[in-house]
Amino acid sequence: MRYLTAVFSALILMGSAALISVSSSAAKTPINAVATVGMVADAVRAIGGEHVKVDALMGTGIDPHSYRQTRSDVVKMGRSDVIFANGLYLEAQMEDLLLKLQERKPVFFIGEAIEPVKLEGSTAYSDRFDPHVWMSPTLWQGAVASVTQAFISMDPENEEDYQNNAVAYLAEIQELSEYGAKILKTVPKNRRVLVTAHDAFTYLGRDFDLEVVGIQGISTNSEAGLQRIEMLVKLLVDRKVTAVFVESSVSERNVRALVEGAAARGHTVEVGGELFSDAMGQSNTYEGTYIGMIDHNMTTVTRALGGEAPLQGMQGKLGAGH
Ligand SMILES: [Zn+2]
């Protein structure tokens, strides 16, 4: 309303010549957005549509817990109109810079828009929340909704487009959640244990009733202790768990240690496939989108743990090799 009032008073004061300047200043799209990780960039791209250009700083295979901005990242962020991050201390090495930039331009930490009561505690930092909120499609819907509000606040003229984009994207995420519930339900009860390289999958486990065990703490900076490996080997043997998973953005050394440890006790554990934890797949592939990334994870886990899911996933788009 304040905006409209300003437009009308400008028109009254300046006469018809003002028409041109008003309309050109209102059309300051596309908005130049920078996103930290791919999952956030995907949401920004989907909601922003034609009104937004988005540049993601971290590509496939990058670990956001340890990533530190490059000089060119700093330039991109400096030139951008708006920055979107996950927050919740995911971008641990960049947090200070992002907070500093927030004094000069809009910086949105979209994971922090989710109500804290819906979050779990971090296993790495006692005073932080678990930042891996995109692993739960329903939680992630809350983060996506905040992107919509961000664009509406920056560019109210195109509110209808942002709302329509949000409805479509949120519906796709809803479908993903329902697909996950349907297939993961088919995993036999005693095998519902998801062992992965780091604690990124807590929210997935919570949504779909899987016990989640990380081989190291939430931060990939800390080495897994021999004792912890030993304890996990015992769990795999005792529970007859037959698959553990590697992650695209984490070293698979610890996963291999488990497989070998179990083998030494006469129990065969396979690497059930590679999951996308903190980064999406290659750009221009289905796995390089948020929907494709999570579809891949749900489908891979279900099939490796003995459940039933279509080889090519929810939309028949998953690549070969599953
Ligand atoms: Zn992580």
Side-chain angles (χ1 to χ4, degrees), residues 2-42:
R2 198 184 308 156
Y3 174 80
L4 281 179
T5 312
V7 170
F8 288 131
S9 29
L11 283 173
I12 291 160
L13 285 172
M14 298 160 79
S16 60
L19 266 176
I20 297 156
S21 64
V22 166
S23 61
S24 66
S25 77
K28 56 184 185 298
T29 63
I31 295 168
N32 282 310
V34 166
T36 54
V37 293
M39 298 74 79
V40 173
D42 197 79

Side-chain angles (χ1 to χ4, degrees), residues 31 49-50 70-72 74 144 157 194 207 216 220 232 235 253 258 262 274 291 306 318:
I31 295 168
E50 60 175 344
T70 64
R71 287 172 72 99
S72 93
V74 174
V144 169
E157 292 224 328
L194 178 58
D207 274 13
Q216 61 189 29
T220 45
L232 286 163
L235 178 132
R253 193 158 43 100
L258 282 189
E274 182 174 289
I291 300 288
L318 290 175

Side-chain angles (χ1 to χ4, degrees), residues 63-65 90 131-132 134 198-200 218 220 247 249-250 277-278:
D63 171 11
H65 301 287
L90 176 74
H132 303 90
W134 57 91
H198 88 296
D199 292 341
I218 216 159
T220 45
E247 292 170 39
S249 60
V250 178
S277 55
D278 296 353

